[in-house]
Amino acid sequence: MSEYSTSVLVYIETEENHEIKDVSLEAIASGKRLVQLSKGKLIALVCGKNISQTVDELKYYDIDTLYFADSPDLEIYQPEHYLPIVLDVYEKEKPTGIIFGNTMVAIDLAPRVALKLDTGLVADCVAIDMESDEFVFTKPVYSSNVMAVYEFQAMPFIVTCRTRSCPPAEKKDQVSGEMIELKIEKDTDANQIEFIERKLNETNGLPLSRANIIVAGGRGMGGKEGFDYLNKLCTALGAALGASRPPCDLDWVPAKAQVGLTGEVVAPSLYIAVGISGSFQHLAGMSDSGKIVAINRDPKANIFKVADYGIVGEFEEVLPGFLKQLNAFN
Amino acid sequence: MRIIVCMKQVPDPEGPRESFVVNNEEMRVVPQGIPPVLSLFDENALEAALRIKDKNPQDVKVSILSIGKRVSNAVMFKALAAGADELIKVEDSQFMTSRLDSFATATILAKAIENAGDFDLILVGRQAADWNAGQVGIILSGILNIPCVTLAQGVDVNGSTLTVERVLSNGIETVRTHLPAIVMVSNEIGELRYPAMKERREAKKKPVTEWNISDIGLSRIPPARIKLKRLFTPEMAAGNCLYLTDTTLEDAGRKLALLLKADGMI
């Protein structure tokens, strides 16, 4: 470890509107905590097109050195454009570790970085701690029924952090740190993956990752009509609409509504699960929510195991009373 | 054309919590009372392979490659019955999960693939249902020096061109590369087909190759880059569900709103 200066690099991602992703703010907080433990330096990297607004915003997050790459070539994530940038910052700083948020981009990028740097990767990490001067990394395994604690046999350590596994970094009143703009070079590697096209879903409604309340439906909703009802609830509660996998596979709701290990991992303050049986896949994506409500006709449904409030019954009979009372509040 | 699908046998991930027993001496999770199954995303990878084969059944051969301490023929039979042409197993008592991180696993797979002959496409699941590391495909592509496309929900081959639809958080994108290549397949591609009776009977006659670690030219497991320090069962706030059992379900719904209001949730 001694050949490395103690420093941690945080890879930052932005939303389409250039706001910093919540999971990246959480990664900054994790990085900050680690460098405070080891009196080291916090380094961050952000890439994209027209990101000056993001870069300005990041000055307020107590980052010692912020690298940024702003280019039309970086409008969308492509490994052959992004990977060399991360490797370049690594070469410049030789950080002790690199922290990513566990996003769709990081799922592709983080293992490529680990491969190039001849090191390992702990994916979907929920805690980073220090034990006898070594960093240790905890992640859920076996459908979240077991937690595994890892240490690295190679350096640097590389992790992707699960959404909401720690509180986000707080914005300071003052700007601080230095900023370094990177020039981008394309990877000359012959193994190129050519980008053809991208089809994005319409972005209506509140994104799951930003919602304080999520109302989610499962196969038990019976079809699109059932989800019309949940949409009404969402409007009344200012909630985002979620779903377990079957409704997405069956095209009752857009795929972006999927909550679960392979959809979005969420932890809103309130999660209302209607007609969801609670497969491990789904539970792993929402069980850290503040309060969980389960409405299901099957009293043995797994979802009740993680619920705070449960109602056993047909949703068609439960929701009218719920909605009436909600409207009475407003 | 030959497609190799890497498949892993895992304890049924839908099993109840009690069935995953931690053994910290051997640094492993011992499944109790739950059967081994094919890892879900590996089934999706096989389905992707079979869809390519559907278009050209005579010219596409699908080989299953599985490594592990013990690989159950009964579990892998499902893959053969669904339409794979052969099974290659690499079993060795040294293949302990505590020693097989993604790097070691990919190195063993690469050696096995080298011994398995020519291939055009390798398909793997996006992550295994037990350890969820999600890296083997990319590391394997590094060792074999071929491209790797991740998060696939559609895989199409035309000559030596590979077109992949990738899952994004807010849509899909299409990318293209050349064969040979590796694709990591996601569940959005769809579930593995269910075999008919006739296919199940035929599956029993399909060739199975059994190797151990020295058969593939390795003398020991490559060193891991991450090391398991310990395992533990997380605390579960379960069993605390307050059931609302009012006389009518409509009343229960109303009560729920009142409780959430009182909690300051809404």
Side-chain angles (χ1 to χ4, degrees):
Chain A
M1 224 165 123
S2 55
E3 61 180 295
Y4 297 99
S5 60
T6 317
S7 56
V8 173
L9 169 61
V10 178
Y11 181 82
I12 291 165
E13 291 178 49
T14 58
E15 303 285 353
E16 269 159 67
N17 63 7
H18 299 299
E19 276 181 37
I20 308 162
K21 271 189 191 277
D22 288 344
V23 71
S24 296
L25 290 175
E26 292 152 22
I28 293 173
S30 284
K32 190 75 204 167
R33 197 170 54 84
L34 295 189
V35 297
Q36 278 166 349
L37 286 172
S38 56
K39 300 195 173 47
K41 175 179 174 187
L42 184 64
I43 308 156
L45 165 64
V46 62
C47 304
K49 179 190 164 191
N50 298 334
I51 54 167
S52 56
Q53 175 202 330
T54 317
V55 172
D56 283 339
E57 178 73 10
L58 282 166
K59 291 175 190 166
Y60 291 91
Y61 284 90
D62 211 9
I63 294 161
D64 297 307
T65 303
L66 172 66
Y67 288 89
F68 66 99
D70 194 338
S71 157
D73 284 344
L74 300 175
E75 183 174 9
I76 54 166
Y77 167 74
Q78 288 177 273
E80 61 264 36
H81 292 165
Y82 275 61
L83 179 59
I85 298 172
V86 181
L87 298 177
D88 181 28
V89 174
Y90 176 78
E91 281 309 315
K92 287 185 165 74
E93 295 281 349
K94 292 281 163 67
T96 317
I98 307 177
I99 303 178
F100 293 82
N102 193 21
T103 62
M104 294 300 231
V105 165
I107 285 173
D108 189 273
L109 181 57
R112 293 183 196 275
V113 173
L115 176 69
K116 286 281 181 190
L117 297 180
D118 283 327
T119 188
L121 160 67
V122 175
D124 200 24
C125 184
V126 293
I128 309 176
D129 300 289
M130 205 164 207
E131 284 177 9
S132 31
D133 285 341
E134 295 281 346
F135 291 124
V136 295
F137 306 86
T138 307
K139 69 167 280 183
V141 294
Y142 286 91
S143 8
S144 302
N145 289 308
V146 178
M147 304 298 273
V149 183
Y150 288 95
E151 60 187 5
F152 274 74
Q153 308 279 88
M155 291 307 266
F157 74 74
I158 299 183
V159 291
T160 64
C161 288
R162 178 180 282 201
T163 306
R164 311 241 176 155
S165 55
C166 80
E170 277 171 33
K171 189 174 175 175
K172 307 280 183 208
D173 300 329
Q174 305 261 314
V175 298
S176 67
E178 59 169 339
M179 258 170 310
I180 300 174
E181 179 161 13
L182 297 160
K183 291 204 179 66
I184 72 149
E185 299 159 50
K186 281 190 194 177
D187 193 351
T188 50
D189 210 308
N191 292 336
Q192 282 203 351
I193 297 164
E194 184 194 354
F195 171 78
I196 307 294
E197 61 170 348
R198 187 168 263 222
K199 283 184 205 145
L200 299 185
N201 302 322
E202 290 166 40
T203 45
N204 46 9
L206 186 61
L208 289 170
S209 59
R210 291 278 161 112
N212 269 321
I213 304 177
I214 292 175
V215 176
R219 198 189 282 275
M221 300 314 294
K224 285 188 174 168
E225 303 69 32
F227 276 91
D228 290 343
Y229 210 112
L230 294 191
N231 270 318
K232 271 190 226 159
L233 270 189
C234 286
T235 310
L237 289 164
L241 181 71
S244 60
R245 210 172 111 187
C248 301
D249 288 353
L250 295 165
D251 219 15
W252 297 347
V253 288
K256 73 178 169 80
Q258 189 183 326
V259 171
L261 205 52
T262 59
E264 191 107 25
V265 175
V266 298
S269 38
L270 174 61
Y271 191 93
I272 302 179
V274 188
I276 291 178
S277 62
S279 69
F280 90 85
Q281 248 268 116
H282 187 74
L283 297 187
M286 47 65 76
S287 58
D288 289 335
S289 303
K291 276 245 189 287
I292 297 172
V293 174
I295 300 169
N296 200 300
R297 71 166 82 97
D298 177 9
K300 290 197 213 106
N302 254 331
I303 190 79
F304 290 114
K305 290 189 185 155
V306 297
D308 298 283
Y309 296 125
I311 300 177
V312 179
E314 302 287 344
F315 76 89
E316 293 95 332
E317 294 175 48
V318 177
L319 294 183
F322 185 54
L323 197 56
K324 252 184 234 165
Q325 189 61 50
L326 287 183
N327 290 332
F329 294 144
N330 296 333
Chain B
M1 171 184 192
R2 182 157 182 237
I3 305 174
I4 296 177
V5 184
C6 301
M7 301 193 81
K8 185 176 188 182
Q9 163 188 327
V10 300
D12 185 356
E14 300 280 355
R17 172 150 296 196
E18 317 79 78
S19 47
F20 299 90
V21 179
V22 166
N23 179 334
N24 262 316
E25 261 127 60
E26 294 176 27
M27 207 59 91
R28 69 190 190 108
V29 173
V30 186
Q32 273 180 11
I34 46 170
V37 297
L38 292 170
S39 182
L40 179 71
F41 302 111
D42 299 351
E43 289 198 358
N44 301 127
L46 176 58
E47 178 59 27
L50 296 176
R51 286 185 197 173
I52 296 169
K53 190 180 164 83
D54 286 344
K55 288 192 190 156
N56 215 339
Q58 300 310 317
D59 290 338
V60 178
K61 182 179 176 185
V62 177
S63 306
I64 304 297
L65 172 61
S66 187
I67 68 164
K69 238 166 107 178
R70 271 192 308 275
V71 179
S72 152
N73 277 357
V75 173
M76 293 296 150
F77 175 75
K78 183 179 179 189
L80 293 173
D85 298 290
E86 65 161 342
L87 166 64
I88 301 167
K89 306 200 287 182
V90 188
E91 295 171 297
D92 204 286
S93 57
Q94 293 181 63
F95 292 166
M96 288 170 287
T97 51
S98 59
R99 292 178 63 192
L100 290 183
D101 72 344
S102 303
F103 185 77
T105 304
T107 309
I108 296 164
L109 286 172
K111 271 286 179 193
I113 287 165
E114 231 173 68
N115 281 271
D118 292 339
F119 67 89
D120 302 282
L121 178 63
I122 297 172
L123 298 177
V124 303
R126 59 175 279 185
Q127 66 201 63
D130 47 5
W131 296 90
N132 293 324
Q135 302 155 41
V136 160
I138 286 178
I139 301 170
L140 193 53
S141 77
I143 299 171
L144 299 172
N145 197 27
I146 55 177
C148 178
V149 182
T150 59
L151 294 169
Q153 70 166 50
V155 184
D156 194 39
V157 174
N158 193 343
S160 66
T161 303
L162 174 73
T163 307
V164 181
E165 281 187 347
R166 294 185 72 242
V167 183
L168 302 173
S169 55
N170 55 351
I172 57 169
E173 71 176 14
T174 308
V175 299
R176 201 173 283 159
T177 189
H178 54 84
L179 295 177
I182 298 184
V183 178
M184 298 175 73
V185 180
S186 193
N187 53 275
E188 285 83 354
I189 206 160
E191 286 180 14
L192 179 62
R193 60 198 59 191
Y194 195 78
M197 212 47 209
K198 178 168 162 273
E199 290 157 335
R200 296 180 69 85
R201 273 198 306 273
E202 283 173 1
K204 294 194 177 114
K205 295 178 225 148
K206 289 180 176 174
V208 177
T209 305
E210 296 183 10
W211 287 334
N212 63 27
I213 193 167
S214 55
D215 292 333
I216 59 168
L218 276 176
S219 51
R220 58 182 183 87
I221 294 182
R225 290 170 173 185
I226 55 173
K227 186 181 161 199
L228 252 183
K229 224 175 158 186
R230 63 177 178 277
L231 294 162
F232 65 96
T233 306
E235 305 232 344
M236 184 78 158
N240 293 328
C241 183
L242 174 67
Y243 287 93
L244 310 182
T245 50
D246 297 74
T247 24
T248 69
L249 288 170
E250 183 168 347
D251 281 347
R254 199 172 286 132
K255 172 92 152 290
L256 176 65
L258 291 167
L259 282 168
L260 292 174
K261 184 80 174 171
D263 290 341
M265 285 286 143
I266 56 178

